Amino acid sequence: MGDMTNSDFYSKNQRNESSHGGEFGCTMEELRSLMELRGTEAVVKIKETYGDTEAICRRLKTSPVEGLPGTAPDLEKRKQIFGQNFIPPKKPKTFLQLVWEALQDVTLIILEIAAIISLGLSFYHPPGEGNEGCATAQGGAEDEGEAEAGWIEGAAILLSVICVVLVTAFNDWSKEKQFRGLQSRIEQEQKFTVVRAGQVVQIPVAEIVVGDIAQVKYGDLLPADGLFIQGNDLKIDESSLTGESDQVRKSVDKDPMLLSGTHVMEGSGRMLVTAVGVNSQTGIIFTLLGAGGEEEEKKDKKAKQQDGAAAMEMQPLKSAEGGDADDRKKASMHKKEKSVLQGKLTKLAVQIGKAGLVMSAITVIILVLYFTVDTFVVNKKPWLPECTPVYVQYFVKFFIIGVTVLVVAVPEGLPLAVTISLAYSVKKMMKDNNLVRHLDACETMGNATAICSDKTGTLTTNRMTVVQAYVGDVHYKEIPDPSSINTKTMELLVNAIAINSAYTTKILPPEKEGALPRQVGNKTECGLLGFVLDLKQDYEPVRSQMPEEKLYKVYTFNSVRKSMSTVIKLPDESFRMYSKGASEIVLKKCCKILNGAGEPRVFRPRDRDEMVKKVIEPMACDGLRTICVAYRDFPSSPEPDWDNENDILNELTCICVVGIEDPVRPEVPEAIRKCQRAGITVRMVTGDNINTARAIAIKCGIIHPGEDFLCLEGKEFNRRIRNEKGEIEQERIDKIWPKLRVLARSSPTDKHTLVKGIIDSTHTEQRQVVAVTGDGTNDGPALKKADVGFAMGIAGTDVAKEASDIILTDDNFSSIVKAVMWGRNVYDSISKFLQFQLTVNVVAVIVAFTGACITQDSPLKAVQMLWVNLIMDTFASLALATEPPTETLLLRKPYGRNKPLISRTMMKNILGHAVYQLALIFTLLFVGEKMFQIDSGRNAPLHSPPSEHYTIIFNTFVMMQLFNEINARKIHGERNVFDGIFRNPIFCTIVLGTFAIQIVIVQFGGKPFSCSPLQLDQWMWCIFIGLGELVWGQVIATIPTSRLKFLKEAGRLTQKEEIPEEELNEDVEEIDHAERELRRGQILWFRGLNRIQTQIEVVNTFKSGASFQGALRRQSSVTSQSQDVANLSSPSRVSLSNALSSPTSLPPAAAGQG
């Protein structure tokens, strides 16, 4: 078993083998070592050891045609001996690990230290305490009972720290759980076609066992290792395993090895499954990764202990050890820029972090200076050794006040809000048929300015039906009557369609009465088979007469040929080839055509031009896709050279041309209208003929007659964007794309060129954010390049799903509109939260700061601050981040990249409310005792009991926050802040809940919360002042923002940071401008952002066997795309090919996630 014997998984399997040795003719190791060989070596080994693949089938007790019998005991036995097709996922982090991670927060650590010192000092009664000579800050004796209770403040701070930590850890934990749930959903949806007991069935990938006969076709991602038994033109992209980008041609006698995790790029065939799960090639790598990751983690921990914070501060993306420059270039090519929101948040965080640090430092310095000057200079007291502990106690108190200012200034709740809002949206988007694979795609979608959509299946229903035909010189506008068609022609037509289409394509009876027949397989072929059935003929007998094994040669459909041909041997040893494909391509190769009597007549170029004008263009203008069916006979000797395609696919005889309709989905025109109203341009990119495409685009409302727009074919598009040397020029693309609406007859590269051209364009003042939809394997590059890639869940191939960010589970364009709505909602939720949070920050910091400087003691105590922090962070982020989206979001234009996070209107709201709150709090602070006829709380000694005066200030402060939370629900200066409030039960619950807890804290909080119970009339006043917030909100809304020119915006991405990094610098270690300004104090901030990254990585890590390779491959592109946020603490990435060559050079997974 090589180096794997250490793992108990294997030893268990080995024991099984020894007992079942005689059951099957091969053991698991034999098959496993066989799968490690490639090409000719493998062929030789099979010949020497087994004879041929059929012999292996016999040994594995399976039939190449019938498959496994599929009885439960047999399947169970196979699972026991050869293992299951399942790769066990990495263990999730335990709750305690998450708690430990949450404790790493710098501010919390400072608070913990302060609390512990404070606790220690409260238990330590120095001898000098009674000494009259020691100064007290602004006198006031404390009684004995109070000195006893000195420990409470420290304990309370610790308690609130524990609260914050538990909340954070619980959030992380539930998020991880959600993601595993999501992941397992994606995995369960993966099905694969196998033959069991002669029936073709689709089973979940995890159910595949060794000995199964699986049918592989274009676009599949192979779920297990196997041997190629039979098929045609099978080409596989093995780059995910070998790193070689060339497609590998498979054949029984040259290279029969099919490996899990590789993609079928062309052709179809059958394979015998020989290794599954951890024994497949993918599984072996995965197990190595698992083992390697742990060792690396240990190493990394050591390194981390040695140089502590410094390592955290700058840990650039290491290029994998031993990785060559090529790989690094490749990695940086895919790298998408930071998601818009994250870039803006990073910037804002740095700005706020700096301000907070400065404020808290000034607070501490002023307090300490004031105390020392007052004590030792003004009152000229000597520093007595026995007084030291007393003084230290004062200094600790000052330090705690300083830390409180910092705690309030830094919005730790921001990462939490972002995460909650994204996680909530992702969960809800599942209901709207959007399965989000990468969290940040959700938010990017809100900024989308362009959507490049496929036609077939996305805008149309993908139920193809033949509605017009040209047969025997007659153009039928509906399905012809079978009797009107010559019998010879009919026979040729039925054979041509039945044989020259994938045998996996079928038309099955409807599932329920009255429904349409089910179309299985390639939809265009289903349309043709439906045509055969409409002509009252049957294709099944033809197929059973000519089974798939007997087909002589098959030229499968690919995007270059745009046609498919099948060669069969006729009874008289001669050959006949049937062809079908896009009419303008196949007709060019026809030199004859069948007339009404079923006889071939000459078909000249001018006949062809006439046919195009009279038949094909009218069909295309009705939005039909035209397909030509043709055939050609070859003599038996000399046998033609089948590899010389140009000669073979020529001199055909046309049988008929059919027009296939693919009706537009009923909800699409409305969805497209919504997009256009929301400022999003919809473009259609399709492989169809230009007239068909234009007709469908008009039906959908993508183009309106009389507008100034472009519809181009792929060829013309390429001619216009390339210079004389044939190179693509950005300026040329810029001339075309703003008006381009339809790109027809386009190849996958055209789609990619268009997407890249729009993204890189600097033609408009806002950089375009492009979403792309795709379903085919060939859409992979465009999906990867786009800012958001949508793959079709039903029609999509695995390759497309792998490259996408969001999977549309119902393949429907209108779900994309929902995604836009949710994306915009996320962005607005974050803005609402910021507006609320920053108001609290500004007020709390100024109150704590001025209070401390004037009265030596912050009116809001550390514990109260932490409670306020909890309301405004955790609860507010929950309340404001879960606002459901409304249709009104689609009435505004996209924000774009350089719109600041905090707009002028928001800044006006923040400062306006801050002015109101500060005015009232300072009034209460300095004249409150006179208004309420109570004792002043100012200048109280160190351990004095909580005063009513300060309790009123604290309570008013919280009330104002509660009512301001309602104001924060609107960020564009709307009047009605209650609009739709009852649609959000979470919001109502949280506001009422916070209110209830506040009552408990004030009435029964006592010493730990520094509160004393209030009278009813005092409570009324507090609430009344709070309600004033709502009135004041209306006053602020009346002031026109345009007048307030002096307001600064914050958190904007400047033009300079807009340029895609590749252009600035090819190097992967590009570090953002914002990062340069970072110092250690703000790293905690990125920790929060890092948590978001961690989840996105979580998704990738838990990809199961089948899609695991892709996960690794994306790891290099995805994880760097949105998360360059903290190059400092994001784990280094590795491109897969290196992981293979040196399993030890894996990302230190522990690096950035602590």
Side-chain angles (χ1 to χ4, degrees):
M1 307 260 10
D3 51 357
M4 288 306 192
T5 34
N6 55 2
S7 132
D8 47 34
F9 197 92
Y10 291 95
S11 46
K12 188 177 90 211
N13 276 341
Q14 273 174 316
R15 281 201 300 281
N16 284 343
E17 268 164 40
S18 49
S19 58
H20 294 284
E23 294 274 356
F24 295 103
C26 338
T27 62
M28 187 175 76
E29 281 121 305
E30 286 174 8
L31 288 173
R32 214 178 112 185
S33 54
L34 172 65
M35 291 317 295
E36 278 163 8
L37 302 175
R38 299 281 177 275
T40 39
E41 290 173 29
V43 179
V44 174
K45 170 89 176 166
I46 294 174
K47 275 214 174 71
E48 285 173 4
T49 322
Y50 306 102
D52 59 0
T53 37
E54 299 227 344
I56 302 183
C57 290
R58 285 196 292 280
R59 289 196 184 194
L60 288 174
K61 304 193 174 162
T62 179
S63 142
V65 183
E66 299 285 314
L68 290 179
T71 56
D74 176 53
L75 296 177
E76 208 36 60
K77 198 162 68 189
R78 287 173 191 272
K79 279 186 189 163
Q80 269 179 347
I81 297 178
F82 298 109
Q84 293 181 321
N85 196 17
F86 168 71
I87 295 178
K90 217 153 120 201
K91 282 199 195 71
K93 288 192 174 130
T94 60
F95 188 68
L96 288 173
Q97 278 171 309
L98 292 170
V99 168
W100 175 244
E101 282 182 10
L103 280 169
Q104 312 288 312
D105 201 278
V106 182
T107 350
L108 289 181
I109 295 175
I110 299 176
L111 275 179
E112 287 153 27
I113 297 171
I116 291 166
I117 297 176
S118 158
L119 270 177
L121 290 176
S122 69
F123 289 126
Y124 169 58
H125 294 301
E129 196 153 306
N131 189 329
E132 288 307 306
C134 297
T136 50
Q138 304 180 332
E142 40 173 283
D143 51 23
E144 274 308 294
E146 284 312 318
E148 293 303 302
W151 60 274
I152 291 182
E153 181 146 16
I157 293 182
L158 277 183
L159 192 74
S160 49
V161 166
I162 291 172
C163 259
V164 172
V165 166
L166 287 177
V167 168
T168 318
F170 178 72
N171 260 316
D172 283 350
W173 177 79
S174 58
K175 213 157 48 214
E176 195 144 314
K177 208 169 115 230
Q178 255 183 9
F179 269 104
R180 286 187 170 251
L182 189 73
Q183 213 35 43
S184 61
R185 255 205 67 169
I186 294 181
E187 272 154 33
Q188 282 155 11
E189 284 179 357
Q190 271 195 317
K191 294 249 184 5
F192 209 78
T193 319
V194 296
V195 181
R196 284 198 178 160
Q199 292 293 311
V200 178
V201 285
Q202 283 211 324
I203 57 171
V205 169
E207 297 293 313
I208 293 176
V209 294
V210 170
D212 258 326
I213 303 293
Q215 290 197 341
V216 297
K217 58 178 191 311
Y218 163 76
D220 282 342
L221 185 138
L222 299 182
D225 290 356
L227 296 174
F228 181 54
I229 315 176
Q230 172 271 322
N232 31 57
D233 240 10
L234 191 65
K235 287 191 187 156
I236 305 264
D237 169 16
E238 293 189 353
S239 57
S240 51
L241 274 180
T242 58
E244 294 290 327
S245 54
D246 295 342
Q247 295 177 11
V248 185
R249 200 181 187 128
K250 297 290 176 186
S251 62
V252 182
D253 46 359
K254 293 213 179 66
D255 182 1
M257 310 312 259
L258 299 175
L259 306 173
S260 56
T262 57
H263 292 130
V264 182
M265 300 311 274
E266 216 178 284
S268 60
R270 285 208 181 123
M271 79 167 182
L272 162 68
V273 177
T274 52
V276 292
V278 280
N279 301 309
S280 65
Q281 293 302 301
T282 305
I284 294 169
I285 296 167
F286 223 0
T287 338
L288 283 174
L289 284 182
E294 282 150 30
E295 289 158 31
E296 197 70 23
E297 234 166 87
K298 288 185 198 121
K299 264 192 246 160
D300 202 66
K301 282 218 176 84
K302 281 188 204 128
K304 208 163 160 192
Q305 283 152 7
Q306 285 157 14
D307 49 13
M312 252 174 53
E313 191 170 342
M314 283 292 167
Q315 204 188 28
L317 292 173
K318 293 197 197 80
S319 63
E321 289 86 345
D324 42 15
D326 256 13
D327 275 333
R328 292 228 322 251
K329 277 223 173 67
K330 237 182 253 170
S332 65
M333 262 170 39
H334 279 317
K335 189 159 101 179
K336 299 190 188 179
E337 288 141 83
K338 228 184 269 186
S339 98
V340 184
L341 186 65
Q342 274 171 324
K344 292 178 180 177
L345 285 177
T346 308
K347 197 104 170 126
L348 192 68
V350 176
Q351 293 169 342
I352 296 175
K354 282 183 183 166
L357 271 173
V358 171
M359 286 298 262
S360 63
I362 296 177
T363 314
V364 176
I365 294 168
I366 290 184
L367 285 172
V368 172
L369 281 178
Y370 190 97
F371 177 75
T372 43
V373 169
D374 193 51
T375 308
F376 304 120
V377 181
V378 181
N379 299 336
K380 301 197 170 51
K381 292 200 175 171
W383 182 299
L384 301 172
E386 61 268 31
C387 291
T388 308
V390 183
Y391 294 149
V392 168
Q393 238 175 325
Y394 271 107
F395 288 146
V396 168
K397 181 183 164 190
F398 297 151
F399 178 64
I400 289 182
I401 292 174
V403 172
T404 342
V405 174
L406 177 66
V407 171
V408 176
V410 174
E412 309 87 11
L414 201 48
L416 192 67
V418 176
T419 311
I420 290 178
S421 156
L422 285 173
Y424 170 77
S425 306
V426 166
K427 216 170 166 174
K428 286 278 189 261
M429 279 167 79
M430 288 288 300
K431 293 200 178 78
D432 282 338
N433 306 313
N434 281 308
L435 192 132
V436 180
R437 291 186 53 212
H438 302 120
L439 262 188
D440 57 329
C442 172
E443 161 264 321
T444 315
M445 203 47 221
N447 287 315
T449 54
I451 298 176
C452 294
S453 171
D454 248 7
K455 177 181 78 77
T456 313
T458 315
L459 300 174
T460 57
T461 53
N462 205 3
R463 258 202 80 85
M464 307 281 194
T465 40
V466 172
V467 287
Q468 292 189 21
Y470 179 84
V471 190
D473 295 341
V474 187
H475 184 176
Y476 297 95
K477 288 287 166 96
E478 54 252 1
I479 300 289
D481 185 79
S483 57
S484 65
I485 295 178
N486 180 289
T487 45
K488 269 198 274 186
T489 310
M490 181 69 95
E491 190 191 353
L492 271 169
L493 180 61
V494 174
N495 280 337
I497 291 175
I499 294 172
N500 185 27
S501 56
Y503 279 35
T504 44
T505 305
K506 300 186 188 58
I507 292 197
L508 301 179
E511 276 167 346
K512 30 185 198 297
E513 281 290 302
L516 293 163
R518 280 180 303 155
Q519 297 189 339
V520 185
N522 179 317
K523 294 295 189 270
T524 311
E525 292 182 354
C526 285
L528 290 169
L529 290 175
F531 179 51
V532 170
L533 298 176
D534 289 340
L535 293 171
K536 313 278 186 289
Q537 306 290 316
D538 192 2
Y539 62 89
E540 278 300 342
V542 181
R543 282 186 174 180
S544 44
Q545 213 178 342
M546 177 62 67
E548 208 169 353
E549 299 79 63
K550 282 202 191 157
L551 300 180
Y552 196 79
K553 168 95 180 129
V554 178
Y555 299 92
T556 47
F557 180 88
N558 64 23
S559 52
V560 181
R561 285 190 195 123
K562 288 238 192 274
S563 68
M564 169 180 176
S565 311
T566 305
V567 180
I568 57 169
K569 212 169 190 170
L570 297 175
D572 64 0
E573 294 292 310
S574 64
F575 301 97
R576 176 170 284 172
M577 175 178 77
Y578 292 115
S579 279
K580 69 168 191 295
S583 57
E584 56 260 48
I585 290 167
V586 178
L587 279 176
K588 278 198 185 117
K589 298 180 176 162
C590 289
C591 62
K592 295 185 178 145
I593 186 164
L594 294 182
N595 61 17
E599 298 300 329
R601 68 174 168 83
V602 181
F603 185 63
R604 292 185 298 273
R606 68 159 188 272
D607 299 333
R608 186 175 68 228
D609 297 339
E610 192 181 354
M611 181 151 168
V612 167
K613 254 201 214 69
K614 297 250 171 82
V615 179
I616 293 174
E617 283 183 0
M619 280 190 189
C621 292
D622 292 342
L624 304 184
R625 188 182 228 171
T626 55
I627 301 280
C628 174
V629 182
Y631 77 100
R632 177 181 178 184
D633 286 331
F634 295 98
S636 54
S637 67
E639 187 172 328
D641 170 10
W642 298 115
D643 291 334
N644 184 348
E645 259 183 61
N646 292 339
D647 289 353
I648 301 287
L649 292 179
N650 224 328
E651 303 186 8
L652 307 176
T653 305
C654 167
I655 305 173
C656 74
V657 173
V658 293
I660 297 185
E661 180 182 44
D662 185 4
V664 172
R665 285 173 181 263
E667 60 286 307
V668 163
E670 174 57 19
I672 286 181
R673 210 170 64 244
K674 279 184 189 161
C675 281
Q676 289 163 342
R677 204 170 51 216
I680 301 170
T681 315
V682 183
R683 295 184 172 83
M684 182 162 102
V685 182
T686 175
D688 254 352
N689 154 336
I690 187 150
N691 296 324
T692 313
R694 194 185 282 119
I696 299 275
I698 290 173
K699 281 184 192 167
C700 294
I702 290 177
I703 52 184
H704 304 287
E707 274 183 7
D708 179 22
F709 57 79
L710 281 177
C711 294
L712 293 181
E713 282 200 341
K715 272 187 193 149
E716 173 66 7
F717 173 68
N718 272 308
R719 197 181 58 72
R720 291 199 190 187
I721 61 170
R722 292 174 194 275
N723 57 18
E724 298 71 51
K725 294 181 197 150
E727 294 158 356
I728 296 174
E729 284 188 2
Q730 186 62 43
E731 302 84 72
R732 288 169 183 252
I733 298 184
D734 286 349
K735 287 197 188 105
I736 294 180
W737 72 259
K739 286 189 181 172
L740 184 69
R741 290 293 176 273
V742 176
L743 183 58
R745 280 274 174 256
S746 64
S747 66
T749 28
D750 296 339
K751 191 169 188 174
H752 182 255
T753 310
L754 176 67
V755 172
K756 185 175 182 310
I758 298 181
I759 289 181
D760 295 345
S761 168
T762 47
H763 178 71
T764 46
E765 71 274 16
Q766 298 277 19
R767 171 171 128 33
Q768 296 279 313
V769 179
V770 183
V772 167
T773 67
D775 52 4
T777 309
N778 48 18
D779 293 326
L783 287 172
K784 251 200 167 82
K785 176 67 193 170
D787 294 286
V788 183
F790 286 91
M792 301 298 140
I794 305 166
T797 55
D798 296 344
V799 185
K801 289 181 190 170
E802 205 48 69
S804 69
D805 302 295
I806 298 180
I807 295 176
L808 295 177
T809 48
D810 63 345
D811 287 11
N812 196 335
F813 187 83
S814 59
S815 303
I816 298 178
V817 181
K818 295 257 177 50
V820 173
M821 212 153 81
W822 277 107
R824 293 187 171 189
N825 193 46
V826 169
Y827 197 97
D828 280 9
S829 297
I830 307 294
S831 297
K832 288 172 190 173
F833 174 72
L834 271 175
Q835 176 174 309
F836 173 67
Q837 167 121 32
L838 293 180
T839 313
V840 186
N841 282 5
V842 170
V843 174
V845 169
I846 294 179
V847 167
F849 176 71
T850 44
C853 300
I854 297 172
T855 65
Q856 258 51 116
D857 175 17
S858 167
L860 298 171
K861 298 290 179 289
V863 183
Q864 296 175 345
M865 286 291 218
L866 279 164
W867 161 238
V868 169
N869 223 3
L870 198 69
I871 306 182
M872 56 180 214
D873 277 6
T874 316
F875 294 154
S877 64
L878 254 175
L880 292 167
T882 51
E883 287 270 318
T886 54
E887 286 279 329
T888 47
L889 287 170
L890 292 175
L891 297 178
R892 64 171 176 75
K893 297 272 176 278
Y895 281 142
R897 303 211 154 223
N898 28 11
K899 171 124 173 27
L901 201 55
I902 297 176
S903 60
R904 281 230 172 111
T905 315
M906 285 167 63
M907 207 52 132
K908 176 183 74 175
N909 290 342
I910 292 172
L911 295 178
H913 287 293
V915 167
Y916 173 81
Q917 297 185 6
L918 286 171
L920 281 162
I921 285 175
F922 284 135
T923 313
L924 287 176
L925 182 62
F926 295 115
V927 295
E929 69 270 37
K930 299 193 188 69
M931 287 160 56
F932 290 107
Q933 277 99 42
I934 45 176
D935 296 337
S936 164
R938 294 199 299 281
N939 309 338
L942 194 56
H943 292 303
S944 54
S947 62
E948 279 188 348
H949 181 196
Y950 273 18
T951 309
I952 290 181
I953 293 179
F954 165 58
N955 199 19
T956 311
F957 183 63
V958 173
M959 287 303 124
M960 292 199 286
Q961 298 327 325
L962 271 184
F963 286 105
N964 194 26
E965 198 165 336
I966 299 175
N967 275 333
R969 292 183 65 245
K970 298 286 176 242
I971 48 175
H972 298 298
E974 296 92 331
R975 289 274 176 182
N976 180 5
V977 289
F978 291 102
D979 177 39
I981 194 163
F982 296 115
R983 281 220 309 275
N984 188 357
I986 305 182
F987 184 87
C988 305
T989 325
I990 285 178
V991 171
L992 295 172
T994 316
F995 187 62
I997 302 174
Q998 178 66 13
I999 296 179
V1000 174
I1001 289 180
V1002 171
Q1003 298 307 86
F1004 312 107
K1007 187 82 179 112
F1009 278 99
S1010 320
C1011 287
S1012 75
L1014 298 180
Q1015 314 293 324
L1016 187 64
D1017 61 325
Q1018 292 166 335
W1019 262 103
M1020 288 288 102
W1021 273 106
C1022 292
I1023 293 175
F1024 176 70
I1025 295 176
L1027 276 167
E1029 268 289 359
L1030 293 174
V1031 182
W1032 184 247
Q1034 295 301 317
V1035 174
I1036 295 179
T1038 0
I1039 306 172
T1041 316
S1042 49
R1043 288 288 168 78
L1044 307 170
K1045 286 276 186 291
F1046 58 88
L1047 286 182
K1048 276 273 188 296
E1049 299 147 329
R1052 109 182 284 169
L1053 286 178
T1054 49
Q1055 207 56 40
K1056 190 166 63 190
E1057 289 149 54
E1058 293 272 302
I1059 309 163
E1061 280 122 38
E1062 298 104 73
E1063 289 164 34
L1064 286 177
N1065 186 343
E1066 268 295 335
D1067 211 6
V1068 190
E1069 277 90 302
E1070 227 296 294
I1071 295 171
D1072 195 285
H1073 305 283
E1075 257 92 271
R1076 296 203 185 112
E1077 306 168 15
L1078 284 177
R1079 291 295 164 266
R1080 275 174 214 171
Q1082 291 133 4
I1083 299 263
L1084 68 117
W1085 223 98
F1086 288 92
R1087 265 290 155 55
L1089 279 175
N1090 231 28
R1091 280 178 201 151
I1092 304 169
Q1093 281 166 246
T1094 320
Q1095 296 123 34
I1096 297 181
E1097 284 175 22
V1098 164
V1099 176
N1100 291 339
T1101 326
F1102 301 136
K1103 281 284 149 84
S1104 81
S1107 52
F1108 140 78
Q1109 231 87 35
L1112 269 188
R1113 210 168 343 127
R1114 288 187 76 83
Q1115 202 83 354
S1116 50
S1117 60
V1118 173
T1119 33
S1120 55
Q1121 72 183 253
S1122 57
Q1123 298 79 5
D1124 324 23
V1125 175
N1127 279 358
L1128 356 161
S1129 50
S1130 72
S1132 49
R1133 303 266 137 43
V1134 165
S1135 74
L1136 184 61
S1137 44
N1138 298 330
L1140 290 180
S1141 51
S1142 52
T1144 43
S1145 69
L1146 284 170
Q1153 285 149 38

